[in-house]
């Protein structure tokens, strides 16, 4: 019955308003038919010209007499408005006609998207050209005036507007209007009812289920309800609002709708789980909407506009996210798709409506109904999750259940021993793990002894007995059980006794867990702690320990005296640097394997650090036999190691120390052997050196020097001296070679030949080299500044092999060059040919790059190495430095031939030549005769400090000027 009326009402609206409303021409009087048809006057009204004063003049429609009159109407509104419209109606019948002039306050259609028209009272007064003024009827949603037309009358009406626009003006037959309002009221009631019930229901579900999804959905439902209540004019029944003044509330409702939809989308899709970025964006967005609520108080239009935009954006972005998540098989997203499609259709409809593309009178109620439908669908979707999802509702489980679940979750096996009946229960899990027949582990406790590892049996029995006797305590025990295949698995049992009413233990209950993996990992860790993980040999700790016990046995039992070999591979760093670490590792493995073969069972071989191995020799104690063993070690190592198509030759420095009554500690013996080894190294490697007390001084020196060097760089103990390089033709200064010195606080000045090899060994050469490079560059830049950049002056800096092999050399040079303003090519790097030949391909690359950066390159000490100039020309050197051995000394005459050849060839290759070691005037003259352009040597100056060198440059400069 109710539904019938509702359907009838909707149809009525369709026909009455859309079907039969007739559009009429302006200010021709419109004939008002007797049959009660509704007239749409919206397009028939004519705007009266605006008058700056508070009155307007209008020409009336011609009456039956054909006379057009002019009437003047005064504004009734305080302050006076300037918006006026006029229209004329005529009654051609012979009865008096009563009609209602209706101008609704709010219309969604054509309300606009960005700053929408949220409704207002439209008409202030209506003044007729004749007869009584139309009387205003009470209404919340529209301005309604009762118009009476006498038979044959032509009446012109002038309406004073309150807003610039008049969205709609209808002329209704009063009974029809009442019916229409009534049927709308019914429709509104139904829609509101459904929406209200939904909101309430979702709220209740939230109280029961407590999942965030429900308040979010309930919030959405409530804001839909509020929106509808305002739109249907129910809100002013709750809150006192002047008719047509609900703009702010509408804006509120729209913002609320937009915000709750956002919250719902976010919560339902659990977006916080995917990425914190989603949360931040959503929170920012929500804060924006919250601010919008405040804006709605002052500027409802703007607030509503932003809210509409935000709503649209939520739907669109939501769609993208849903599709994305659905493609990743996220159930919730998949289930939301139908709802969202409906929402998209709705949004499209709403968009067409507010922009004025859809203007019929059913669209607004239809959209309202659609909104309820969407919330209903969302409600269903959410409900499905609530009731289908979790097996156990949160908060509804008891402590016992929780514990049981936790046990299942942890994957532990229940172990239950019924003491009074002597039956153990473990369930099938443990038996499955061991591959045993079901039931094997179930039965009297004594049955367990058969499967237990023999050495665990007694402990197991004793523990169970103790618990029963003492009636308290806990069982926490590891034991092994034999699997079907004969292997043992480790289990950890944790249980506690349960006492009966008589105080006796009735059962022991607890859990059993498989800890085999942890156990093996532990064993492996123990092994790793004392073994080298590359070769598997004992490491230093284990070696020291074994040596210590050997020493003890010698001292207490008079066992054979142990001797220790420390073996260090010569030049192993080059292998690592040149071939890569993995090649280095496999070579170490090969060496370890070879050395192991030399061992007797009593002996120990250990890898004590990177390329150092140590022997603990117990099987031999005769000095000759020990020496023999050492020699076999050396020979074993010298055999080439083939690697791919290459063969690598390695040698070792070996130090030997024997236990004697003086050193009582293992560590001391090792230290002695190390000293021997270092001594062998010093003597060039590939040697065996037995420790002698005299060596101790040597070793100590090197060790402390190393430590001192570390500190020296920071402490300005390292100095850079400059040795002049002169042009032989006029003896002017062409440049300097930077040479490093170490002023040691105790040992005095140490020459580079002593500490550079040390620094190369321990890597300190890198900071040291960079220090010299930076100092020299800075100095050169200062000099050039003072001299003027057009006066040529260079400084050359020595580079060692570790520096060249490191990739950072290029970067170091680059940063030094960028920080000091030296002219291009004037800062030179000196490299020896042997250094370049160590790794020619790599060196060629690095050197080319360095040349490109703007540094010069000198080939140092030429003549002492390969001396293959034809080969070396592949490298971008522009200067060649002839080693001092060709220049200086008595046999220099014979060397003239060689010198001439070198100089000639260098010039062929367009290199400058610097002769080193020019000590006498003769040397200089000879060199000049041979065509050498530059020389360096004590004749022209010792290495000197920067100020001294500066003096030399500027003295010369002054002399030139004079
Ligand atoms: P080098 O590059 O061949 O340097 C020339 C060496 O010959 C210097 O020795 C210099 O004092 C010496 N010398 C110069 N003129 C004469 C002479 O007329 N007669 C004699 N007998 N010797 C002369 P110094 O300063 O002891 O340097 C030795 C080596 O140490 C240098 O040989 C160079 O290879 C290295 N070196 C020096 N400073 C550095 C540095 O900063 N870094 C690196 N990596 N190596 C450096
Ligand atoms: Mg040099
Ligand atoms: Mg040199």
């Amino acid at each position: 019955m109710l539904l019938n009326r509702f359907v009838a009402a909707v149809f009525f609206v369709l026909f009455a308003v859309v079907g039969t409303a007739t559009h009429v021409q302006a200010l021709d009087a419109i004939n008002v038919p007797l049959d009660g048809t509704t007239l749409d006057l919206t397009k028939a009204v004519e705007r009266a010209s605006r008058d700056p004063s508070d009155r307007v003049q209008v020409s009336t429609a011609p009456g039956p007499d054909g006379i057009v009159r002019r009437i003047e109407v005064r504004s009734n509104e305080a302050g006076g408005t300037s918006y006026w419209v006029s229209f004329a109606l005529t009654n051609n019948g012979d009865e008096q006609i009563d009609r209602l002039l209706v101008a609704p306050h709010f219309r969604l259609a054509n309300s606009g998207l960005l700053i929408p028209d949220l409704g207002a009272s439209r008409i202030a007064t209506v003044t007729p050209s004749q007869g009584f003024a139309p009387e205003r009827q009470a209404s919340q949603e529209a301005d309604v005036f009762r118009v009476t037309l006498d038979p044959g009358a032509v009446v012109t009406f002038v309406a004073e507007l309150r807003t610039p626009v008049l969205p709609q003006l209808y002329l209704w037959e009063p009974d029809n209007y009442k019916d229409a309002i009534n049927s709308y009221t019914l429709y509104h009631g139904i829609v509101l009812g459904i929406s209200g019930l939904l909101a309430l229901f979702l709220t209740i579900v939230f109280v029961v289920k407590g999942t965030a999804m429900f308040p979010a959905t309930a919030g959405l439902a409530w804001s839909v309800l509020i929106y509808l209540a305002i739109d249907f004019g129910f809100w002013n029944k709750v809150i006192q609002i002047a008719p047509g003044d609900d703009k702010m509330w509408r804006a509120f409702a729209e913002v609320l709708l937009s915000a709750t939809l956002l919250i719902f989308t976010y919560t339902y899709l659990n977006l916080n789980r995917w990425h914190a970025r989603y949360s931040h964006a959503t929170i920012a967005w929500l804060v924006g909407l919250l601010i919008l609520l405040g804006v709605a108080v002052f500027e409802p239009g703007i607030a509503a506009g932003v809210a509409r935009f935000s709503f649209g954006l939520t739907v669109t972005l939501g769609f993208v996210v849903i599709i994305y998540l659905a493609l990743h098989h996220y159930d919730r997203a998949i289930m939301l798709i139908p709802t969202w499609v409906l929402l998209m259709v709705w949004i499209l409809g709403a968009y067409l409506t507010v922009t004025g593309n859809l203007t019929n009178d059913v669209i607004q109620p239809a959209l309202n109904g659609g909104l309820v439908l969407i919330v209903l669908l969302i409600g269903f979707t959410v409900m499905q999750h609530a009731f289908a999802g979790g097996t156990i509702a949160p908060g509804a489980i008891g402590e016992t259940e929780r514990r049981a679940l936790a046990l299942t979750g942890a994957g532990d096996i229940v172990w239950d021993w019924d003491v009074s009946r002597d039956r153990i229960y473990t369930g099938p899990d443990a038996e499955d793990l061991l591959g045993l027949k079901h039931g094997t582990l179930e039965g009297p406790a004594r049955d367990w002894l058969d499967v237990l590892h023999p050495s665990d049996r007694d402990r197991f029995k004793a523990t169970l007995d103790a618990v029963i006797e003492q009636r308290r305590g806990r069982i926490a025990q590891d034991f092994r059980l034999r699997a079907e295949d004969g292997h043992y698995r480790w289990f950890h049992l944790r249980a506690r006794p349960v006492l009966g009413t008589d105080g006796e233990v009735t059962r022991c209950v607890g859990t059993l867990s498989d800890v085999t993996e942890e156990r093996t990992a532990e064993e492996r860790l123990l092994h790793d702690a004392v073994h080298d993980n590359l070769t598997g040999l004992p490491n230093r700790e284990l070696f020291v320990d074994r040596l210590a016990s050997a020493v003890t046995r010698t001292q207490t039992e008079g066992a054979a005296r142990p001797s220790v070999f420390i073996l260090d591979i010569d030049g192993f760093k080059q292998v690592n640097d040149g071939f890569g670490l993995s090649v280095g590792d496999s070579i170490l493995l090969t060496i370890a394997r070879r050395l192991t073969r030399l061992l007797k069972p009593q002996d120990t071989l250990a890898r004590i650090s990177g390329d150092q191995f140590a022997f603990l020799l117990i099987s031999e104690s005769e000095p000759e036999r020990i020496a023999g063993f050492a020699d076999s070690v050396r020979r074993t190592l010298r055999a080439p190691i083939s690697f791919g198509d290459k063969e690598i030759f390695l040698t070792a420095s070996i130090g030997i120390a024997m236990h004697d009554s003086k050193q009582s500690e293992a560590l001391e013996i090792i230290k002695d052997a190390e000293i021997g080894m270092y001594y062998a190294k010093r003597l060039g490697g590939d040697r065996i050196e037995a420790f002698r007390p005299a060596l101790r001084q040597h070793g100590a020196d090197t060790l402390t020097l190393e430590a001192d060097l570390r500190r020296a760089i920071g402490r300005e103990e390292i100095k850079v001296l400059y040795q002049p390089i002169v042009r032989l033709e006029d003896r002017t200064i062409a440049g300097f070679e930077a040479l490093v010195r170490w002023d040691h606080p105790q040992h005095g000045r140490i020459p580079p030949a002593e500490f550079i090899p040390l620094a190369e060994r321990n890597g300190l050469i890198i900071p040291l080299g960079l220090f010299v490079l930076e100092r020299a560059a800075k100095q050169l830049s200062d000099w050039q500044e003072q001299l003027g950049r057009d006066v040529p002056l260079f400084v050359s800096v020595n580079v060692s092999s570790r520096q060249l092999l490191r990739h950072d050399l290029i970067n170091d040079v680059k940063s030094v060059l960028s920080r000091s303003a030296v002219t291009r090519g004037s800062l030179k790097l000196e490299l020896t040919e042997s250094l370049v030949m160590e790794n020619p391909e790599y060196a060629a690359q690095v050197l080319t790059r360095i040349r490109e950066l703007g540094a010069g390159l000198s080939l140092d000490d030429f003549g002492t190495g390969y001396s293959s100039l034809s080969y070396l020309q592949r490298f971008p050197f522009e200067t060649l430095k002839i080693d001092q051995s060709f220049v200086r000394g008595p046999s220099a005459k014979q060397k003239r031939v060689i010198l001439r050849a070198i100089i000639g060839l260098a010039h062929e290759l367009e290199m400058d030549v610097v002769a080193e070691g020019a000590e006498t005037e003769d040397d200089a003259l000879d060199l000049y005769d041979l065509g050498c352009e530059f020389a360096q040597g004590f004749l022209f100056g010792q290495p000197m400090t920067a100020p001294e060198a500066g003096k030399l440059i500027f003295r010369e400069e002054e002399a030139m000027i004079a």
Side-chain angles (χ1 to χ4, degrees), residues 187-199 225 228 232 372:
Y187 172 72
H188 289 171
I190 293 168
V191 172
L192 268 185
I194 296 173
S195 154
L197 273 177
L198 199 60
L225 181 66
L228 294 180
F232 293 166
V372 177

Side-chain angles (χ1 to χ4, degrees), residues 494-508:
R494 254 171 315 187
R496 99 178 329 176
V498 179
L499 301 187
T501 38
D502 51 356
E504 290 295 320
V505 176
T506 55
R507 61 198 319 147
C508 271

Side-chain angles (χ1 to χ4, degrees), residues 107-239:
R107 271 191 97 215
L108 186 65
N110 212 358
S111 60
L113 189 62
L114 276 185
I115 306 186
D117 180 350
L118 292 178
S121 170
R122 303 289 176 181
I123 300 179
T125 50
V126 180
T127 315
S129 58
Q130 63 176 69
F132 293 110
E135 200 182 314
R136 182 184 278 277
Q137 311 287 305
S139 165
Q140 274 292 337
E141 291 100 54
D143 295 316
V144 183
F145 294 88
R146 180 177 286 272
V147 177
T148 310
L149 294 172
D150 289 329
V154 178
V155 185
T156 302
F157 294 90
V158 180
E160 185 182 2
L161 301 187
R162 285 186 171 135
T163 55
V165 287
L166 181 63
Q168 202 177 44
L169 187 66
Y170 275 153
L171 196 66
W172 283 87
E173 203 281 320
D175 286 336
N176 286 352
Y177 184 63
K178 216 166 92 197
D179 281 352
I181 291 290
N182 280 346
S183 44
Y184 268 128
T185 310
L186 179 65
Y187 172 72
H188 289 171
I190 293 168
V191 172
L192 268 185
I194 296 173
S195 154
L197 273 177
L198 199 60
L200 208 63
F201 178 66
L202 286 169
T203 312
I204 292 169
V205 175
F206 159 55
V207 173
V208 176
K209 298 290 276 189
T211 327
M213 171 159 67
F214 289 104
T217 320
L220 185 61
W222 282 110
S223 50
V224 166
L225 181 66
I226 293 172
Y227 179 82
L228 294 180
I230 292 169
D231 201 57
F232 293 166
F234 276 77
W235 194 242
N236 46 34
K237 309 233 162 44
V238 186
I239 285 166

Side-chain angles (χ1 to χ4, degrees), residues 737-739 796-798 830 860-861 881 916 936:
E737 174 172 4
L739 293 162
S796 59
V797 178
N798 294 287
E830 280 191 17
D860 203 359
D861 299 349
K881 294 186 80 176
E916 297 188 281
Q936 171 186 359

Side-chain angles (χ1 to χ4, degrees), residues 94-114:
D94 41 14
E95 291 169 29
Q96 197 186 43
I97 303 180
D98 255 355
R99 286 292 182 268
L100 292 178
L101 197 60
V102 180
H105 292 159
F106 174 75
R107 271 191 97 215
L108 186 65
N110 212 358
S111 60
L113 189 62
L114 276 185

Side-chain angles (χ1 to χ4, degrees), residues 539-557 559-564 602 604 615-618 659 663-670:
N539 64 8
R540 193 184 180 96
E541 279 68 41
L542 187 55
F543 184 79
V544 172
D545 187 65
R546 295 215 179 142
L547 177 58
S549 47
V551 169
T552 322
R553 240 174 294 130
T554 314
Q555 286 162 347
T556 56
E557 300 162 21
R561 292 194 305 160
S563 48
V564 169
Q602 313 82 304
T604 297
F615 282 100
L616 168 59
L617 196 65
I618 297 176
H659 169 65
Q663 340 109 318
S664 49
E665 289 239 5
L667 281 176
E668 279 172 59
I669 307 176
I670 294 178

